[in-house]
Amino acid sequence: MQQITNHLPTAELQALDAAHHMHPFSTQDDLAESGVRVITAAKGVMLTDSEGEEILDAMAGLWCVNVGYGREELAEVAARQIRELPYYNTFFKTSHTPVIALSAKLAQLAPEGLNKVFYSSSGSEANDTNLRMVRTYWAEKGKPSKQIIISRWNAYHGSSVGSGSLGGMKGIHAQGGLPIPGIEHIDQPNWWAEGGDLSPEEFGLERARQLEAKIDELGEDNVAAFIAEPVQGAGGVIIAPETYWPEVMRICREREILFIADEVICGFGRTGNWFGSQTLDLKPDIVTIAKGLSSGYQPIGGSIVSDEVAAVIGATEFNHGYTYSGHPVACAVALENLRILEEEGIVDRVREDTGPYLKEKFESLTDHPMVGEAKITGMMGSLALTPDKSARAAFAAEAGTIGYMTRERCFANNLVMRHVGDRMIISPPLVITRAEIDLLIDRAWTSLDQGMAAAKEAGLWHSA
Ligand code: PXG
């Protein structure tokens, strides 16, 4: 049997990686110089690297390992499915039991009125599906001019041509000729950074009403849909002020546009309910899913579609699909993952026990002199770093400098806590225990101390 070696010395693994592996969202040359950390195994919330160090993964991989690492049941189900039916497609009048069972389960768990699923292997692909689906929907309804999709700056919807265009990351738009035509962006509800003198409540309304103004500017007859994450994840765990979503929902109700809730991160328990739409009382027409659907054990994503949209799309041939749409192994693993989440009461525990515990501990980090605000819902949270809390000041240094310095301290302290600009973010496996939460907070505090000391030493402790 071909073995993947993890017994080579770390330096050799790093050299091979630098020679042959191109990393996503990375500067290859910098990585080659610093050397990557090679992860060799994981269990629960803990990673092990090639030096035998144990690292607390407070990001659940990339926001996805909701049931934690090392679940035997998922390995068993994958092996069994590979033996029984490793692959078959669903394009030409065929189906298979894993995709049938998973679809029925998702219809049961999804918000009311969403009962059909179109599959992909990732969130990016699912949002590409959504882009084509909402435009096809309106064309089939005899309104082909309704083409434009409104999104938000600093949203993340993937990095393919379509989904990267839907997203509002300027760094992505800058490479490869994005965004494609027909996509418009409005501002994000990030009160800490952009709220100025408005109260959070006033600011939430102002940002929501940008959607109304944008629809009016473009003409309702030209707008197909609004897409948004219930809580922006990759944008820095931006939790909108309480006034924001009710107003957005009012606007979507009053205007004839579809609403796509991108739940790639918020789905499957992350916010303490099965979907962020349930936590925030959103009424989506389409829900994008991926990540926690399989806890990352298999690549799978999809779009859960409302009865109304499914009926319109279902009346025509939708010329769209991927070789791995509804992949049997991925579906079988996802179904078992949902069973674990449900039967072990993991989502309920996040809502009622460990989530509130984490919230209390995480919010106590605002006692740290560098932390201006702590925002958290369920098991996704962020800290705003600032040299001056009362002024909500940004650092004078280029955005992300202090965040990066702090992140480096976290990693050195065996804690995966990431930074987005000068916000520190967490999204741990949903199975994290109280004791592990204590360890997380402990390591975070130490790293914040060291990050602050490093910023001061580098002469960067100044407001913009
Ligand atoms: N939508 C949302 C809300 C996401 O968070 C995608 C779509 C795209 O999914 P795929 O499976 O195509 O990656 C995502 C993915 C980060 C980071 O640095 C976040 C994501 C992906 C990669 C990095 O936080 N989110």
Side-chain angles (χ1 to χ4, degrees):
M1 202 189 286
Q2 174 72 42
Q3 290 287 343
I4 301 167
T5 48
N6 64 11
H7 55 269
L8 289 174
T10 300
E12 267 181 60
L13 291 167
Q14 289 172 326
L16 283 170
D17 186 82
H20 304 299
H21 174 202
M22 298 179 82
H23 290 251
F25 285 92
S26 305
T27 306
Q28 314 298 329
D29 292 352
D30 291 352
L31 270 189
E33 203 179 319
S34 61
V36 293
R37 202 159 175 177
V38 182
I39 308 302
T40 54
K43 184 92 191 148
V45 302
M46 289 292 182
L47 310 169
T48 307
D49 74 6
S50 55
E51 295 292 290
E53 292 281 340
E54 292 232 310
I55 309 160
L56 198 165
D57 182 9
M59 284 305 299
L62 267 182
W63 324 76
C64 55
V65 188
N66 289 11
V67 297
Y69 298 93
R71 296 297 307 230
E72 276 300 318
E73 306 93 313
L74 298 178
E76 284 301 321
V77 161
R80 198 188 319 144
Q81 188 59 46
I82 287 171
R83 290 196 182 97
E84 204 170 289
L85 180 71
Y87 177 76
Y88 202 70
N89 74 79
T90 55
F91 280 47
F92 304 111
K93 299 191 174 179
T94 56
S95 197
H96 50 73
T97 45
V99 79
I100 294 167
L102 178 62
S103 305
K105 186 69 197 172
L106 284 170
Q108 183 208 327
L109 295 174
E112 214 188 309
L114 281 76
N115 289 298
K116 290 206 170 164
V117 192
F118 194 104
Y119 291 96
S120 64
S121 300
S122 69
S124 298
E125 289 174 349
N127 280 325
D128 282 4
T129 298
N130 295 340
L131 193 153
R132 299 195 61 214
M133 193 184 285
V134 296
R135 289 176 173 176
T136 305
Y137 169 84
W138 289 115
E140 288 301 312
K141 291 207 21 140
K143 298 188 175 177
S145 66
K146 287 174 79 68
Q147 291 282 303
I148 299 172
I149 300 170
I150 301 173
S151 177
R152 305 183 295 181
W153 292 117
N154 201 36
Y156 190 83
H157 298 301
S159 70
S160 61
V161 174
S163 65
S165 296
L166 286 174
M169 298 281 179
K170 294 192 172 148
I172 292 179
H173 291 179
Q175 294 173 329
L178 275 54
I180 56 172
I183 295 169
E184 297 278 335
H185 296 84
I186 57 174
D187 289 321
Q188 61 174 338
N190 180 349
W191 176 78
W192 175 266
E194 300 175 10
D197 294 332
L198 296 179
S199 70
E201 292 73 25
E202 291 166 339
F203 177 72
L205 288 177
E206 188 268 317
R207 288 288 149 112
R209 288 175 186 156
Q210 281 196 16
L211 175 61
E212 197 164 38
K214 187 55 101 178
I215 296 171
D216 289 347
E217 175 198 322
L218 298 166
E220 196 173 320
D221 288 346
N222 298 315
V223 180
F226 174 56
I227 183 170
E229 305 151 81
V231 175
Q232 286 155 263
V237 187
I238 309 300
I239 299 173
E242 281 183 5
T243 49
Y244 180 78
W245 280 114
E247 186 70 355
V248 168
M249 285 302 101
R250 175 190 69 75
I251 295 162
C252 287
R253 236 186 356 261
E254 289 178 11
R255 307 301 163 112
E256 196 186 33
I257 65 164
L258 298 174
F259 171 49
I260 306 165
D262 185 340
E263 299 246 19
V264 165
I265 286 176
C266 293
F268 306 105
R270 180 61 53 202
T271 69
N273 289 291
W274 282 98
F275 293 94
S277 290
Q278 292 154 339
T279 302
L280 293 167
D281 198 22
L282 312 184
K283 303 283 178 243
D285 299 287
I286 299 177
V287 168
T288 320
I289 53 174
K291 293 191 190 281
L293 168 57
S294 69
S295 285
Y297 280 62
Q298 284 285 297
I300 181 168
S303 310
I304 316 182
V305 178
S306 73
D307 298 339
E308 154 74 7
V309 173
V312 172
I313 294 294
T316 187
E317 180 172 353
F318 186 37
N319 298 312
H320 181 77
Y322 308 106
T323 300
Y324 300 129
S325 287
H327 191 284
V329 180
C331 287
V333 168
L335 187 63
E336 178 67 3
N337 173 63
L338 299 182
R339 186 196 66 74
I340 293 172
L341 283 171
E342 190 168 39
E343 284 185 12
E344 294 186 8
I346 293 170
V347 180
D348 298 338
R349 196 169 353 128
V350 169
R351 187 177 56 252
E352 284 155 23
D353 178 21
T354 46
Y357 185 75
L358 176 63
K359 182 176 161 72
E360 184 197 324
K361 297 281 163 175
F362 194 69
E363 287 176 345
S364 76
L365 291 172
T366 53
D367 293 342
H368 193 279
M370 187 163 66
V371 177
E373 74 165 2
K375 298 288 275 182
I376 184 161
T377 174
M379 292 229 165
M380 59 192 299
S382 62
L383 307 171
L385 304 185
T386 174
D388 180 354
K389 297 187 194 206
S390 57
R392 294 207 327 268
F395 288 97
E398 192 189 337
T401 308
I402 315 301
Y404 178 74
M405 291 167 101
T406 307
R407 187 212 97 107
E408 289 298 276
R409 272 37 182 209
C410 290
F411 212 25
N413 291 322
N414 286 343
L415 171 68
V416 181
M417 172 160 82
R418 296 239 320 274
H419 80 109
V420 175
D422 291 317
R423 287 188 92 86
M424 305 305 297
I425 57 174
I426 60 162
S427 166
L430 306 184
V431 294
I432 191 168
T433 62
R434 285 176 175 238
E436 288 162 342
I437 288 170
D438 291 345
L439 186 64
L440 188 168
I441 298 298
D442 198 49
R443 288 185 184 174
W445 186 280
T446 304
S447 307
L448 287 163
D449 267 353
Q450 294 170 350
M452 186 171 103
K456 286 184 173 168
E457 209 175 290
L460 297 176
W461 195 256
H462 300 294
S463 301

